[in-house]
Amino acid sequence: MNRQSNTYTIIYSVVLVLLVGVVLSVVYQALRPMQVENINNDTKRQILAAARIVPTQGQSVADLFSDHIQTSYIVNINGEKTDAGTDAFNVNVAIESKKPADSRLLPVFECTTSDGLKYIIPVYGAGLWGPIWGYIAFDANGDTIYGAYFAHQGETPGLGAEIEKPAFSDQFEGKDIFTSDGAFTSVAVVKTGKEPQGKAWVHAISGGTITSQGVQKMLFDSLEPYTAFLKNLQSNKN
């Protein structure tokens, strides 16, 4: 075949593209298990962070997760454990958050800590530029927040992105999401000088108003469906 012809050029290009595609596909398939493992380990790290458990030098996140997360399950809006045909760890909270509350799969992770058993619940919502998410750990009384972890996809550095810093998340420790008469109120995220009476609150991120409002809405929308489950914990403590 004439190597100077258009036909040769076209055939050569097609074969080259096919070869490159096959090589990339093989590499992707070979690396996929490692990518999935890394994603899972990052999720495990976030769950543990809500319970104030942070891996030290040389510690495996997977081993630490296995040591502390002894049980996980899915509950429904009535606070009852349900067989959803999937593991709590594999529930796509982003998808569930878009469903009506009474149709959601609600994952719960039981975590053993030096301060006793904690119950960790995932939260998911919207910030200024994209999704925000996190995990909230509750004391066994089903009311008091033991720890919180927040993350984001694309909030503004130095402003909304500050939700992932301990200076913000540490404020949630010790906050109660129910009033003394048992009403669910979640936690307000407010500007200095706007602190509400009669409900738990934390200070918003300075300059990150929309992201802070997003966190407040995320907490309310994500935690409200767990009301029955958390009240069951309260009943069990009485």
Side-chain angles (χ1 to χ4, degrees):
M1 182 181 293
N2 182 4
R3 295 189 176 185
Q4 305 301 319
S5 67
N6 291 336
T7 301
Y8 176 84
T9 301
I10 293 172
I11 293 175
Y12 180 84
S13 299
V14 170
V15 171
L16 183 61
V17 168
L18 290 175
L19 286 175
V20 171
V22 169
V23 171
L24 290 177
S25 178
V26 170
V27 171
Y28 173 80
Q29 292 300 326
L31 295 178
R32 181 59 180 166
M34 186 181 301
Q35 292 172 339
V36 171
E37 182 181 6
N38 288 338
I39 292 171
N40 288 343
N41 282 338
D42 186 55
T43 300
K44 292 175 181 179
R45 177 190 63 79
Q46 295 180 27
I47 293 172
L48 291 172
R52 290 145 55 178
I53 299 172
V54 180
T56 58
Q57 185 68 30
Q59 276 189 311
S60 163
V61 172
D63 290 342
L64 199 62
F65 187 85
S66 297
D67 290 341
H68 289 277
I69 306 296
Q70 301 294 333
T71 306
S72 63
Y73 44 84
I74 297 169
V75 299
N76 58 27
I77 197 171
N78 297 317
E80 305 161 335
K81 293 183 181 179
T82 180
D83 182 7
T86 187
D87 185 85
F89 187 82
N90 294 322
V91 172
N92 189 323
V93 181
I95 292 177
E96 296 301 318
S97 68
K98 295 176 174 60
K99 298 179 180 178
D102 59 0
S103 300
R104 295 182 196 175
L105 302 180
L106 305 172
V108 177
F109 302 89
E110 291 189 4
C111 181
T112 56
T113 74
S114 57
D115 294 321
L117 185 64
K118 309 301 173 185
Y119 296 83
I120 303 175
I121 292 173
V123 294
Y124 189 92
L128 174 59
W129 302 113
I132 55 177
W133 64 90
Y135 295 89
I136 307 296
F138 287 92
D139 286 337
N141 65 11
D143 185 9
T144 306
I145 295 176
Y146 177 73
Y149 174 87
F150 301 109
H152 65 93
Q153 180 173 294
E155 299 306 288
T156 308
L159 298 175
E162 295 296 300
I163 64 170
E164 66 183 0
K165 302 292 181 63
F168 178 71
S169 59
D170 287 354
Q171 295 184 86
F172 289 84
E173 296 176 13
K175 304 297 183 181
D176 293 334
I177 64 168
F178 293 93
T179 61
S180 58
D181 60 359
F184 172 75
T185 58
S186 188
V187 179
V189 183
V190 299
K191 294 181 179 180
T192 301
K194 301 291 185 180
E195 297 84 355
Q197 298 295 319
K199 65 180 295 185
W201 54 267
V202 300
H203 283 133
I205 298 295
S206 179
T209 301
I210 295 179
T211 305
S212 298
Q213 291 173 347
V215 172
Q216 176 175 286
K217 186 175 188 305
M218 171 179 71
L219 292 174
F220 192 94
D221 292 347
S222 297
L223 296 179
E224 188 179 33
Y226 286 91
T227 298
F229 170 76
L230 295 170
K231 286 194 171 184
N232 287 342
L233 296 182
Q234 296 173 28
S235 299
N236 292 337
K237 292 296 290 183
N238 294 332

